[in-house]
Amino acid sequence: MGGVPALQEPLKKVLGPATAKVMAEHLGLHTVGDLLHHYPRRYEERGQLTHLADLPMDEHVTVVAQVADARLHSFASAKAPRGKGQRLEVTITDASGRLQLVFFGNGVHKPHKDLLPGTRAMFSGKVSLFNRRLQLAHPAYELLRGDGDEAVESWAGALIPIYPATAKLESWKIGKAVQTVLPSAQEALDPLPDSLRAGRGLLPLPEALLKIHRPHTKADIADARARLKWDEAFVLQVALARRRHAETHLPAVPRVAGPDGLLAAFDDRLPFTLTEGQQKVSHEIFTDLATPHPMHRLLQGEVGSGKTMVALRAMLAVVDAGGQAAMLAPTEVLAQQHHRSITEMMGELAEGGMLGGAEHATKVVLLTGSMGTAARRHALLDLATGEAGIVIGTHALIEDKVQFHDLGLVVVDEQHRFGVEQRDALRGKGKQPPHLLVMTATPIPRTVAMTVFGDLETSVLDQLPAGRSPIASHVVPAADKPHFLARAWERVREEVEAGHQAYVVCPRIGDEEDDPKKAGKKPAEGEEKRPPLAVLDVAEQLGRGPLEGLKVEVLHGRMHPDDKDAVMRRFAAGETDVLVATTVIEVGVNVPNATAMVIMDADRFGVSQLHQLRGRVGRGSAPGLCLLVTEMPEASPARQRLNAVASTLDGFELSRIDLEQRREGDVLGQAQSGARSSLRVLAVIEDEEVIAEARAEAAAVVAADPELERLPGLRTALDALLDDEREQYLEKG
């Protein structure tokens, strides 16, 4: 093999360039080792049929089923005006349900010959909706011709592995490719220390790879998965443990607030008392800030639990101790909102260097990419001289030109939008590493916190401040019950008549850039798909229709920042009745008078995103109302997801539901198009015990051998996890 280790051999040498290209582009698989770690998603047994009853919409699936009937229809169309168009409809069935397959045009001849009633086959395709029924259009298929069939036998054994596949590469083709590279599994380097593997009775890695791809029994699968779960949990926890180890050895300036400085003056002017939770978390943060090593803390709290108040007090403590604090927000709308609310909360304490500023006052500056040159120059000067104790900004804070006098604390809002490398760039602006506080309003189960944020200590705010109102949530099935949607708009009018305001959220803007028609994306023949509803269209329809006479405005990410700010100011001031927006309002926007929210095409948003959006209402003394509008059929997984959101306001409960319903890779920040997450067998919710044990083992290994000099197999696995090509969720967080 010319010196290249077997598992690092490029796939194009082993499988040929065409197959390798598809594997690289669509599955992120480049080497023999990558393919060996592309594990089956599940296994089919001969004689046991898949559940057609729980097929997910818009996902690529492989099912094993029997043909119940097949009918060829002729029809007239633009391409075949004389009724010569042909459509083959095949119904397949299993113990749980039925599913329709459709083939069109010249594509009908082969399936018409192959798919006779009674035939069993594997079918692979994307689940779509047509005439309110689930279907697969032009699925690929592989006939299962009984146990004597050699092709099936060589590729299946008693258990047929079903691989995560794509439209370009079906599961059975991946299975054949795995068969080709399987002998190389013998050369796999074992990342687990021998003592750990033996102590826990785990299989050697080559044996585990063999058993996951070609199991003879279900016990083989269980043993292989148990071993491979440990690999994933342990290698990841070692990466995080090394990061923690390195950071605890960095120096930092301890920052302790004075007894009668800025923080004390701020606390004196607060019109309310902090919740018990806020006091406890503040204490944890102040303790960290007082140490000579950088704080690394994750603050997670429910929407509206008062995280900004806790972060502001931490920033004031640092300014008190002579340092500066920077808050990094994911969007300009949110940076402006934070700047406004923090200067309002601080009052004259934010007017440092100005007439009328209080004795301990500091300056609070805003820095975003779209600021005018003069304002920007001014802000940069205030930071460099130390005149500004607090700066709030977007990615613009990370740029080279930005210099701090003495950066002591970095607060990152909504961590999932910022990678580790961006945090590092901002932290590099301190003379010594600054302390770091990361905030998220997406509640994270403990295991995910250990997995994704394993380099951070965690604080949780789970109490809502006094004066918060309950939010009622309801699903509005617009297709089944159109009168429910009409009633939704009546409810919005009623809220406005009562002196309140409302949001309407849409998944798309609706200008030319994101218009699917203009982008040339046509739905496949036989697919019935309207594009997601758009802000500009919906605002116009509402203004002319059900909300006529109300003041309706729009807000979206492609507006000029000054226009966005003006719209938000008018809405906050109560001059606008209804704001039709994209998810730019998802985090941090605080308008207590807004009591109602209607989310259009709610099925197109994730659970945590819906929970975030809903948190924008009910922020004052009047109760909140959130209406989730969808056209998805009642039995669909999308509807079940919406019902879950409507049934609870507990973000931690929802985050568990979210994790259980989605593929792990999505949760850990990976792209959702079937791209590889580095977690393939480890399930973050179910495998809590493995993750906790792996974390303890990893900490011990790193403490004894930080450079892993005695564990070459572990080093190799770590390099693969953290290589440039896929810096994974450690970077995407």
Side-chain angles (χ1 to χ4, degrees):
M1 285 209 175
V4 177
L7 270 67
Q8 286 169 27
E9 188 73 21
L11 285 173
K12 62 173 173 257
K13 283 196 177 171
V14 188
L15 303 175
T19 307
K21 185 169 186 260
V22 176
M23 287 197 167
E25 285 176 6
H26 295 274
L27 294 167
L29 308 177
H30 302 273
T31 64
V32 167
D34 289 345
L35 180 54
L36 286 173
H37 288 294
H38 186 71
Y39 309 131
R41 185 174 279 164
R42 56 191 170 82
Y43 302 83
E44 283 298 344
E45 292 178 77
R46 289 269 161 67
Q48 181 200 38
L49 294 163
T50 320
H51 295 300
L52 293 179
D54 18 291
L55 289 178
M57 268 295 290
D58 283 339
E59 280 207 24
H60 207 85
V61 298
T62 300
V63 296
V64 175
Q66 191 156 3
V67 176
D69 68 53
R71 297 176 187 202
L72 193 58
H73 301 276
S74 298
F75 63 90
S77 71
K79 287 182 187 162
R82 290 199 295 282
K84 293 208 173 145
Q86 288 195 303
R87 181 174 77 246
L88 176 66
E89 290 179 2
V90 178
T91 305
I92 57 172
T93 176
D94 70 3
S96 71
R98 299 165 80 80
L99 177 68
Q100 187 159 327
L101 318 176
V102 289
F103 301 86
F104 290 94
N106 297 333
V108 303
H109 306 304
K110 189 171 184 320
H112 191 217
K113 202 166 69 213
D114 291 344
L115 301 177
L116 304 171
T119 308
R120 292 191 62 242
M122 296 178 73
F123 301 93
S124 184
K126 194 174 179 187
V127 183
S128 58
L129 198 63
F130 183 70
N131 281 343
R132 312 201 41 158
R133 281 165 60 199
L134 295 179
Q135 69 165 27
L136 298 182
H138 287 283
Y141 59 87
E142 179 101 341
L143 302 180
L144 299 177
R145 294 196 174 87
D147 291 347
D149 187 271
E150 272 176 49
V152 172
E153 208 45 50
S154 64
W155 152 89
L159 293 157
I160 305 171
I162 305 290
Y163 288 91
T166 76
K168 298 268 192 274
L169 201 65
E170 293 85 15
S171 167
W172 48 89
K173 289 183 184 163
I174 296 170
K176 286 172 183 169
V178 168
Q179 189 71 29
T180 308
V181 302
L182 208 49
S184 303
Q186 292 309 322
E187 297 183 45
L189 270 180
D190 203 320
L192 295 190
D194 292 343
S195 56
L196 190 158
R197 190 171 60 72
R200 295 184 178 274
L202 298 167
L203 296 179
L205 181 58
E207 193 182 332
L209 289 171
L210 209 60
K211 285 186 168 172
I212 195 103
H213 290 294
R214 293 294 170 268
H216 293 298
T217 63
K218 287 186 175 169
D220 283 353
I221 299 170
D223 292 348
R225 288 177 71 86
R227 159 63 216 241
L228 295 167
K229 276 180 183 182
W230 254 94
D231 280 18
E232 289 180 4
F234 182 70
V235 173
L236 175 60
Q237 291 301 336
V238 166
L240 294 165
R242 288 186 74 200
R243 196 173 167 89
R244 284 197 304 276
H245 182 269
E247 283 166 343
T248 52
H249 288 76
L250 292 172
V253 179
R255 310 281 179 172
V256 182
D260 47 12
L262 179 59
L263 178 63
F266 176 75
D267 284 349
D268 286 347
R269 52 171 289 144
L270 278 182
F272 50 83
T273 47
L274 298 174
T275 65
E276 232 173 275
Q278 285 174 317
Q279 289 172 3
K280 177 177 145 289
V281 170
S282 289
H283 177 70
E284 291 170 351
I285 291 170
F286 292 150
T287 306
D288 283 357
L289 289 174
T291 64
H293 299 293
M295 163 172 85
H296 288 98
R297 191 165 282 280
L298 170 69
L299 170 56
Q300 51 167 326
E302 275 288 16
V303 178
S305 57
K307 292 182 300 299
T308 311
M309 174 58 70
V310 169
L312 176 56
R313 293 184 73 241
M315 293 197 287
L316 294 174
V318 168
V319 175
D320 237 356
Q324 289 170 293
M327 183 186 246
L328 191 57
T331 63
E332 294 212 350
V333 167
L334 189 51
Q336 288 163 337
Q337 179 93 22
H338 276 321
H339 181 251
R340 237 190 334 265
S341 62
I342 283 173
T343 46
E344 278 166 17
M345 281 195 270
M346 288 175 64
E348 70 266 21
L349 294 174
E351 294 169 1
M354 291 185 240
L355 275 174
E359 182 196 345
H360 300 290
T362 186
K363 236 187 205 179
V364 180
V365 301
L366 175 69
L367 188 65
T368 64
S370 65
M371 282 169 78
T373 317
R376 188 181 174 75
R377 196 179 301 124
H378 212 82
L380 290 173
L381 189 65
D382 284 344
L383 288 182
T385 58
E387 185 91 2
I390 294 176
V391 58
I392 294 149
T394 54
H395 286 79
L397 283 177
I398 299 170
E399 291 169 11
D400 292 344
K401 287 192 199 106
V402 181
Q403 301 294 324
F404 288 85
H405 178 65
D406 179 15
L407 181 60
L409 170 67
V410 173
V411 179
V412 179
D413 193 15
E414 286 312 313
Q415 155 65 17
H416 63 279
R417 316 249 180 137
F418 293 103
V420 167
E421 71 282 6
Q422 290 161 314
R423 288 184 350 206
D424 285 350
L426 190 50
R427 280 177 20 200
K429 293 184 177 295
K431 293 187 178 72
Q432 284 192 322
H435 299 279
L436 175 71
L437 179 66
V438 163
M439 301 197 296
T440 175
T442 308
I444 304 160
R446 176 173 161 259
T447 41
V448 182
M450 279 194 293
T451 311
V452 185
F453 300 102
D455 59 331
L456 304 171
E457 299 299 322
T458 305
S459 296
V460 177
L461 269 181
D462 46 14
Q463 269 176 306
L464 287 185
R468 271 315 182 86
S469 302
I471 304 170
S473 305
H474 303 286
V475 177
V476 177
D480 308 352
K481 299 177 177 161
H483 60 286
F484 275 38
L485 183 58
R487 175 71 189 121
W489 301 127
E490 282 172 21
R491 283 292 291 112
V492 169
R493 289 195 88 97
E494 286 163 15
E495 289 298 312
V496 172
E497 279 157 17
H500 300 302
Q501 292 159 278
Y503 298 100
V504 177
V505 181
C506 305
R508 203 162 60 83
I509 297 172
D511 55 11
E512 300 211 354
E513 280 183 58
D514 75 348
D515 187 338
K517 286 202 227 42
K518 299 204 169 71
K521 292 179 193 157
K522 290 182 182 160
E525 203 170 351
E527 235 185 76
E528 184 183 53
K529 261 236 165 111
R530 66 162 175 75
L533 290 170
V535 166
L536 302 176
D537 304 340
V538 168
E540 192 186 340
Q541 287 159 13
L542 292 176
R544 286 199 322 243
L547 302 185
E548 195 176 354
L550 301 186
K551 179 93 170 69
V552 177
E553 287 209 65
V554 300
L555 180 71
H556 60 75
R558 279 208 282 272
M559 289 165 65
H560 187 280
D562 292 349
D563 296 341
K564 275 193 267 195
D565 198 38
V567 168
M568 272 317 300
R569 279 175 190 277
R570 286 196 291 275
F571 190 65
E575 295 163 23
T576 305
D577 298 322
V578 179
L579 187 61
V580 183
T582 56
T583 53
V584 290
I585 60 156
E586 179 186 346
V587 280
V589 172
N590 184 21
V591 180
N593 192 45
T595 52
M597 175 176 285
V598 181
I599 303 178
M600 308 302 290
D601 281 345
D603 47 274
R604 293 181 188 257
F605 298 99
V607 169
S608 58
Q609 206 174 19
L610 291 169
H611 183 57
Q612 285 273 13
L613 285 165
R614 169 171 66 184
R616 302 300 115 220
V617 295
R619 298 177 82 85
S621 50
L625 172 69
C626 179
L627 302 175
L628 306 167
V629 179
T630 178
E631 293 183 0
M632 295 305 280
E634 194 162 350
S636 64
R639 271 287 278 280
Q640 288 159 15
R641 208 168 62 232
L642 295 180
N643 290 340
V645 174
S647 67
T648 178
L649 290 171
D650 180 341
F652 286 92
E653 174 59 26
L654 283 174
S655 67
R656 285 192 77 94
I657 292 168
D658 198 15
L659 260 178
E660 283 157 10
Q661 290 194 345
R662 291 161 62 184
R663 295 203 304 283
E664 228 75 42
D666 302 352
V667 177
L668 301 180
Q670 274 301 88
Q672 297 188 15
S673 56
R676 307 146 39 81
S677 146
S678 95
L679 296 197
R680 300 183 200 93
V681 283
L682 191 72
V684 183
I685 289 284
E686 293 153 33
D687 298 320
E688 181 161 352
E689 214 170 287
V690 175
I691 292 168
E693 288 172 16
R695 184 179 167 109
E697 293 270 13
V701 164
V702 170
D705 180 8
E707 294 306 312
L708 310 178
E709 282 160 5
R710 297 189 291 280
L711 297 165
L714 178 54
R715 273 215 72 102
T716 305
L718 206 56
D719 293 342
L721 176 73
L722 300 177
D723 72 12
D724 295 339
E725 183 137 355
R726 35 192 135 89
E727 286 181 311
Q728 299 283 342
Y729 45 75
L730 281 184
E731 304 302 315
K732 310 259 187 327

